[in-house]
Amino acid sequence: MNSERILNKMMESDILIKLASVFGKKLSDLKMNQQPEKGLKSKSDFEHLKKVLLRETTDGPVPIVEMMSDPELMAKAMGWEDFPIDMAKAIMWSVAPLDNLKTLWAGFQFLELIITFSKTMGYDYATTWPYVPIPRTYHEADIAEKHGGKWRIWQDESKGIISDRAAFEAFPWPEPDDIGLFPVKYMANRLPEGMKVMVFQWGIFEDLKLLMGLENLAIKSIEEPQLVIDIAEKLTVLAEEALSRSCSLKRVGGVFMAEDMGFKQGTMLNPRFMREHIIPRQKRIVDVVKKSNLPFVLHSCGNIEAIMEDLINTVGIDAKHSFEDNICPVEKMFEKYHSKLAILGGLDMDLLTRGKEDDVRKRTRQILETCAPHGGYAMGSGNTLASYVPLNNYYAMIDETKKFNLNRSME
Amino acid sequence: MKKLAEYIKYGKGVETANRVKQLINEGANPETLLNDAMIPVMDEVGALFQSGEFFMPEMLIAARAMQQGMDIIKPILVAKGIKPMGTVVIGTVEGDLHDLGKNLVIIALEGAGFKVVDLGVDVPAAKFINAIKDHNPLAVGLSALLSSTMLVMKDTVAKIQKAHAEKKVKIMIGGAPLNNEFAQEINADFFGVDPASAKDFVRSLL
């Protein structure tokens, strides 16, 4: 057994997790300045969120749902001044191997940040992911100073690590035993009553782009489709394994899969290819989740109208996240799909980022008034809480949702 | 020439290059090949993309085939002193590394016979300004894919317009978070909803 596997196994032991939790709580209390009054509510209720995701209720408060938040925004909100943002970003994009103390320590702090931020802001869940050591390609841009000292990690759009069959054969594919569950187990143990873990999973199409580069993937989907299929199959098997193990843990409440498949005009690849080779594999992944009777949320940016019915009827997603006003405002998507899907978020990123607080408040109310009465809706951003979203706008969205819920409970 | 167009349309690069060589050897005028077969088929590819029958992969392989044909034709045209229809400078604004959308616009513009100066990604305003001075383009294209870099785009447009107040260079913008309203807000001349519309806009400037 290699050293990383040994480390994984050690870290997953109940004793170590309990000890780490005690330490983690102390760390959280020391480093973070929580402001619970900014949050949606003081008491989380994952069972209610589950009913919203499965469209089993039209009553009760509208929850907040975000797929993830940039570490800078969370650290700023929690007042954690020396939070290791660089390492957290690398971990978030799964480009930092968790095989050294520096990364492990940063990862542990990141878990604590996510837990405390989620609890403070009144979410019913916190998000983390099992460790699956797939090497991924990325660019990093040092745009510090010019843009507020922040840098981002970007997908390589032109080429990736796997450019051809030879590279596929030589790729260091992880084995199921390389999967580490510490983040999920730790979070499940640390979360307070009422909260559960939403397991984040990179989608297979997302990983195809990361491993091959989108342009290379696009060309190969026509000229060498079997290569793409073989990579997708490897990724599917790993996802099935990671989720099968994660979903069997107590206090895991659901799965959030990130799977951007669309541009503004339509799907990135031909819908025929998606239907034949990607959709059936996504279905296998969802089936694993459904075996544990957990809800499955799909995050997908862009216009994926061409495959929405496939995602609903074949793949079996319960909820969809990520909406852009430039493509279709969330209310219109809600109108079209709310009888089949829960619709999550949709407060447009441009408004959240560049808009005035009053406009954010107005739009939040507008969406809530349209969608909330029907059930199967949760408020949130149209994509993620990116580092460049002003905190006051984010708080405004939360505050308006809080007011809406209060008024609703008094009716 | 019908065969040539078909090879390009379906991304057959080697066949495209061979067919171009064959037709030229048989006496075909390279300019005629370009204007009557190659450019029109790239227009067709753009229209098929707009209508949702072709997708990004089909555009990429068609562009690659077109490029392989152009590799044969370009030196002949240059030797004859035939210039491109015009020049366009294009880049992704500072702070943004997305380039796929920009590259699709380049494909559409080069396919239509324009010379494109690609400044790449993370391009500061000064680089756009210098490129406009050096290449005297018909238009300059700015791409951004994040709400944060939209702000950079606004600033870049303002700087370009200030630096080249006397020039008639048109500014077109594109990217997922953008729209016509934003184009108006920042005084850009055009918002391209897709690569074909950007190409049509530049053509209209001739």
Side-chain angles (χ1 to χ4, degrees), chain A residues 90-97 129-139 153-156 159-162 171-174 200-204 206-213 235 238-239 258:
Chain A
I91 290 164
M92 196 162 123
W93 274 88
S94 299
V95 294
W129 46 98
Y131 174 58
V132 184
I134 299 175
R136 295 179 171 97
T137 52
Y138 69 102
H139 292 304
I153 287 183
W154 309 78
Q155 280 188 9
D156 189 329
K159 59 188 188 326
I161 301 174
I162 304 182
F171 191 75
W173 292 103
F200 175 84
Q201 173 67 42
W202 287 112
I204 50 168
E206 198 66 28
D207 255 336
L208 277 169
K209 287 185 282 170
L210 282 166
L211 292 177
M212 298 183 76
L235 292 168
L238 280 167

Side-chain angles (χ1 to χ4, degrees), chain A residues 251-271:
Chain A
R251 310 287 306 284
V252 167
V255 170
F256 218 129
M257 188 161 86
E259 186 78 308
D260 292 346
M261 295 183 281
F263 293 130
K264 203 151 69 172
Q265 301 91 336
T267 49
M268 291 179 187
L269 301 192
N270 194 311

Side-chain angles (χ1 to χ4, degrees), chain A residues 349-363:
Chain A
M349 288 303 291
D350 189 35
L351 176 65
L352 256 180
T353 305
R354 297 189 313 123
K356 295 195 181 75
E357 190 182 308
D358 282 347
D359 292 331
V360 169
R361 287 181 178 275
K362 187 176 166 189
R363 181 75 180 122

Side-chain angles (χ1 to χ4, degrees), chain A residues 361-378:
Chain A
R361 287 181 178 275
K362 187 176 166 189
R363 181 75 180 122
T364 303
R365 283 195 303 271
Q366 197 175 30
I367 295 171
L368 286 166
E369 281 157 14
T370 309
C371 302
H374 303 276
Y377 178 73

Side-chain angles (χ1 to χ4, degrees), chain A residues 186-206:
Chain A
Y186 178 79
M187 192 175 272
N189 189 68
R190 261 290 271 135
L191 287 176
E193 196 61 42
M195 288 183 81
K196 286 194 176 180
V197 178
M198 285 289 280
V199 176
F200 175 84
Q201 173 67 42
W202 287 112
I204 50 168
F205 188 72
E206 198 66 28

